[in-house]
Structures are given as C-alpha cells and as structure tokens.
Amino acid sequence: DTGVSQNPRHKITKRGQNVTFRCDPISEHNRLYWYRQTLGQGPEFLTYFQNEAQLEKSRLLSDRFSAERPKGSFSTLEIQRTEQGDSAMYLCASSFGGAAFGSPLHFGNGTRLTVT
Amino acid sequence: GDSVTQMEGPVTLSEEAFLTINCTYTATGYPSLFWYVQYPGEGLQLLLKATKADDKGSNKGFEATYRKETTSFHLEKGSVQVSDSAVYFCAPAFQGGSEKLVFGKGTKLTVNP
C-alpha cells in the first residue's frame, strides 16, 4: 500500500492560466474523490468517480473545473482561467467500497494552489 | 438535509488534561461516522470510525461512541499529550449517492507541556 499520491505538491500560477493536478489512488480502490480545503475550513467535496465514471459533482465545481479518470486509474483535475478565489489545497482521496458502510477514505497530501 | 456540526476551536489544554470535541449530525438515515486528524504539515488521517448505533471507535487513546438518540459522535481522550496537537475533523458519510464524507469545520487542538 503506497498510499494516495498527488502531484505537484505546490503550484503557483498567474490569474487566467490553466492548471492541471494529478492523483494516483491506491491501486485496488475503485472510488476516487476530489475535495478542496481552504485555510481554517474543513474539506469540501468537489467530485466523485466510481471506476472511470464521474457520478457526482458539487455545485462548487464551476464550468472552469473538469475532472477525468481515464481507465479508472489515475485522475486529473483541471482548472481553466484560474481566479484568485481558486487558491486552496486540493485533496484527492480513494476508497474501496462505500464510506456509508464503513470504508474509510484515504487521502493524499494534497496540491496547494496559489493564484497570484 | 444531511449535515454535520462540530465544536469550533481553538482548544488549548495542558498535558494530561481531558479532551472532548463535540460533533452532532442531521441525517435522514444512519450514516457511518468518522473522525479524521490533520497534524501540522501532514495530510488527513483516519483516527477512528463507527458504523452503527452504540458502536465505539477507538485509536491512540481517543474514543467516540455512535449515539443515535442524540445524533452525536463526540471525540474524547482522557489524557492528552503534546503530540496530540492537530486539527480534528468529524465526518459523517451519509447513505445514498457517492457516500462522500461531509466534513465539519475542524477543531484545532493545542496541547501545552
């Protein structure tokens, strides 16, 4: 179990630029989640994949955000035309089975985005 | 709708003091309940969990009991250590849909020697 891996750890970009983050989940996990965490707040859900299918998206996920999970393995989160309000820690988590039945989410260390 | 309310901090205690962090939820069903911890500079880690009423989750001296009648899952530790300084998050996983975790705002705990 190598854990959930996220790259890059930090990203600084100028407003208006596009950025892409990558998440490699634990290999046998079929569920993958993206969250966003701002300073002093709890993580907020963005989107969820089961295998390669994106099954739920939060209202927080504007049309500038897009996520993919080709082949049900790694996932990418792209933000187009970044805004200063996008500055946050972006967290990826994976699980095998549903959390409502006790399967915990395993989190990566996150990608910290700073938009200047 | 389904939601969680967590005691806000910060909380500052002396070593060996008793800790309680309150967490209550509102749900139409019976969620599984989790506590996660975030140590300084580190990622979110599962601390403990409970999946049904009256279950007690425990780990590293921390405990929490799933109370269906009060819809609560309060975190307790009898004697905190400096190394317990961290941010603690209560996170129910409600039934249906993605079964995502819904996080509370977090409680920052500082333990002084």
Side-chain angles (χ1 to χ4, degrees), chain A residues 19-111:
Chain A
V19 294
T20 300
F21 311 139
R22 177 179 171 123
C23 170
D24 288 273
I26 294 170
S27 59
E28 61 269 26
H29 285 184
N30 58 345
R31 296 175 180 234
L32 187 146
Y33 301 80
W34 285 98
Y35 283 79
R36 180 172 68 188
Q37 186 177 20
T38 54
L39 198 62
Q41 300 296 316
E44 297 174 298
F45 169 77
L46 293 179
T47 190
Y48 159 68
F49 290 84
Q50 186 163 331
N51 300 312
E52 67 275 9
Q54 187 175 20
L55 298 183
E56 185 173 339
K57 292 196 291 187
S58 164
R59 287 189 298 267
L60 293 175
L61 215 63
S62 76
D63 55 7
R64 295 185 298 106
F65 288 70
S66 62
E68 294 182 341
R69 192 183 182 197
K71 303 178 183 177
S73 56
F74 71 93
S75 176
T76 58
L77 178 68
E78 181 183 16
I79 309 175
Q80 296 182 326
R81 305 181 302 282
T82 52
E83 302 173 355
Q84 288 187 322
D86 297 331
S87 295
M89 178 75 86
Y90 289 84
L91 300 170
C92 177
S94 69
S95 71
F96 185 81
F101 295 94
S103 295
L105 272 59
H106 298 257
F107 283 84
N109 287 330
T111 294

Side-chain angles (χ1 to χ4, degrees), chain A residues 33 35 56 98 100 102 105, chain B residues 32 36 38 49 98-101:
Chain A
Y33 301 80
Y35 283 79
E56 185 173 339
L105 272 59
Chain B
S32 287
Y36 277 77
Q38 194 167 36
K49 70 175 185 179
S98 64
E99 300 180 30
K100 59 186 175 288
L101 295 177

